[in-house]
Amino acid sequence: GKSRDYNVDLVSKFLMGNGKLVKMLQKTGVTKYGTEFTLIDGSYVQHKNKVYKVPVTEREALSSSLMGILEKRRAAKFFAYAQDYDEHNPATQKGYDLKT
């Protein structure tokens, strides 16, 4: 990228998690120190003075103007893989070992 490209993050940080991690944090009382756990509706980015929703489904990826055609296809394949993944069914893992 260009040496003058940069990113300024003005958003509160959030932890994307579910299950044991969130339960552990809640049980330890960390929520007393201003930490809140809430659902979010989506993530958004600003590009060329316009706000876009970050795609999270195959359909959104294919219709997004944030990516080129090859990126759209790659993102859609990833979302399909993630949606169908079952850790107990090797047929859904397509040769990937996500435990390493």
Side-chain angles (χ1 to χ4, degrees):
K2 298 177 184 173
S3 62
R4 289 177 261 145
D5 286 350
Y6 60 93
N7 180 45
V8 177
D9 189 355
L10 299 176
V11 235
S12 299
K13 302 296 180 224
F14 60 90
L15 173 71
M16 295 179 65
N18 189 11
K20 293 179 184 178
L21 174 63
V22 173
K23 288 176 185 173
M24 178 193 69
L25 291 172
Q26 288 175 324
K27 195 171 247 186
T28 60
V30 75
T31 55
K32 294 181 210 172
Y33 303 102
T35 305
E36 295 179 33
F37 294 96
T38 59
L39 295 174
I40 59 170
D41 292 327
S43 294
Y44 298 84
V45 294
Q46 181 178 349
H47 180 65
K48 296 182 180 176
N49 294 325
K50 192 171 178 186
V51 176
Y52 298 90
K53 184 177 185 300
V54 175
V56 294
T57 66
E58 292 174 74
R59 175 179 237 154
E60 288 177 356
L62 294 172
S63 65
S64 174
S65 60
L66 291 171
M67 300 179 280
I69 190 69
L70 295 176
E71 293 169 316
K72 288 179 182 186
R73 186 171 183 274
R74 192 175 302 134
K77 285 176 70 175
F78 170 75
F79 293 140
Y81 173 80
Q83 179 69 32
D84 296 336
Y85 182 83
D86 178 0
E87 68 178 311
H88 302 295
N89 183 356
T92 66
Q93 298 169 12
K94 300 185 179 173
Y96 296 109
D97 181 8
L98 300 184
K99 294 182 180 179
T100 60

